[in-house]
Amino acid sequence: MSAGCGITPMYSMSRYLTDSQMDADIAFVHSARSEADIIFKSSLATMAQRHSRFKLRYMLESITTETLWHGDEVLHDIGRLSAKSLLDLVPDFAERTVFLCGPEPYMQAVKRLLGELNFDMAQLHHESFATAVKEAQHRVKQAEIQAIEPANSSSSFMLSIGDRKRALTPEQSLLEGIEAEGLPIIAACRSGVCGACKCQVLEGETESSSTMTLTPAEIEAGFVLACSTKLKSDITLSL
Ligand code: FES
């Protein structure tokens, strides 16, 4: 269950499960203002067509087209998520494990709703996107401070991207270095789940806590997830 940018980790988890042929039974319930606000819409529709056990369900505040979706793979309801709409979209939701991600008000509303429906909260896993963003902003701030006071060269490694260079401590992620340099990179989940921050290490040694969205061939070619990778030597990176 997701809303807004909270769709990102849900999309990655679902893609991983469907790509790895685990035959997982997934009901993907995403809330959005309108069809135009749905991120990954066409990829999700493709997943629903290819995998019969991946059920795509949208809760839209308004609908702008009469020919939105057809067939059993993709269902939608109009309005805000309610007990009735949840039961219509996923009749067996009480038997499922729920993964929840989205803006804080949405998360609170869903938790209230699940409570009212006597859902077993031990089966609920949640991640606040707002918290992740706040933590990321804090990390960028720290990186900016270190830009003014460069890390001690004896306890740092050099990150080189083109003609840009930045000293990073072994505790800092590649993503922190890239953002502190003001270089363009997309980072959505900031926790190694969505795959948005993929980049390639051309030289040097790194350590990654997540390679979840990378294929073996990409790992072999030096691709890493910047948010989940730290330096173990001076490195050269390609964005
Ligand atoms: S930002 Fe999602 S994997 Fe790095």
Side-chain angles (χ1 to χ4, degrees):
M1 298 181 73
S2 61
C5 292
I7 195 172
T8 311
M10 300 300 147
Y11 169 75
S12 292
M13 289 162 68
S14 300
R15 223 182 92 178
Y16 173 75
L17 289 168
T18 50
D19 283 356
S20 50
Q21 312 283 324
M22 286 189 191
D23 200 29
D25 178 6
I26 303 168
F28 192 105
V29 182
H30 181 66
S31 297
R33 280 205 189 89
S34 70
E35 183 188 355
D37 295 304
I38 301 171
I39 311 168
F40 305 124
K41 192 181 84 171
S42 60
S43 302
L44 286 165
T46 305
M47 282 162 67
Q49 280 160 3
R50 288 197 183 143
H51 303 279
S52 60
R53 284 162 69 80
F54 178 80
K55 302 277 193 283
L56 189 50
R57 308 291 185 241
Y58 288 122
M59 196 68 219
L60 301 175
E61 285 180 29
S62 66
I63 191 164
T64 51
T65 166
E66 291 302 312
T67 56
L68 191 59
W69 296 287
H70 298 284
D72 187 41
E73 300 100 4
V74 187
L75 287 184
H76 68 275
D77 205 347
I78 311 297
R80 295 272 176 119
L81 198 61
S82 64
K84 179 181 179 320
S85 57
L86 183 56
L87 284 165
D88 285 348
L89 294 170
V90 191
D92 62 352
F93 90 91
E95 295 152 33
R96 294 174 176 269
T97 300
V98 173
F99 293 86
L100 175 65
C101 187
E104 203 56 44
Y106 165 80
M107 307 252 296
Q108 292 304 331
V110 172
K111 283 180 199 169
R112 264 198 310 277
L113 183 62
L114 294 178
E116 285 163 18
L117 291 168
N118 295 321
F119 183 74
D120 177 2
M121 293 302 191
Q123 300 304 316
L124 172 66
H125 306 271
H126 54 94
E127 173 77 47
S128 165
F129 216 78
T131 305
V133 169
K134 267 192 204 143
E135 284 172 359
Q137 285 168 342
H138 175 71
R139 286 197 298 269
V140 169
K141 193 85 200 150
Q142 291 299 111
E144 282 169 359
I145 292 167
Q146 280 162 16
I148 299 165
E149 298 172 27
N152 180 333
S153 61
S154 64
S155 62
S156 66
F157 299 117
M158 190 59 70
L159 166 65
S160 302
I161 308 168
D163 58 0
R164 309 287 275 273
K165 291 196 185 300
R166 170 163 291 267
L168 293 180
T169 67
E171 289 75 39
Q172 290 181 292
S173 70
L174 278 179
L175 182 59
E176 288 172 67
I178 295 164
E179 288 180 330
E181 279 299 307
L183 292 167
I185 186 161
I186 298 171
C189 71
R190 312 186 79 93
S191 54
V193 177
C194 73
C197 64
K198 182 172 78 172
C199 49
Q200 189 178 23
V201 177
L202 302 176
E203 275 181 351
E205 202 184 334
T206 57
E207 185 171 56
S208 294
S209 56
S210 170
T211 54
M212 193 187 284
T213 63
L214 301 174
T215 64
E218 285 174 327
I219 295 169
E220 182 67 28
F223 284 95
V224 295
L225 299 174
C227 66
S228 308
T229 300
K230 294 173 180 170
L231 279 65
K232 296 202 78 182
S233 73
D234 294 348
I235 72 157
T236 304
L237 192 73
S238 171
L239 295 181

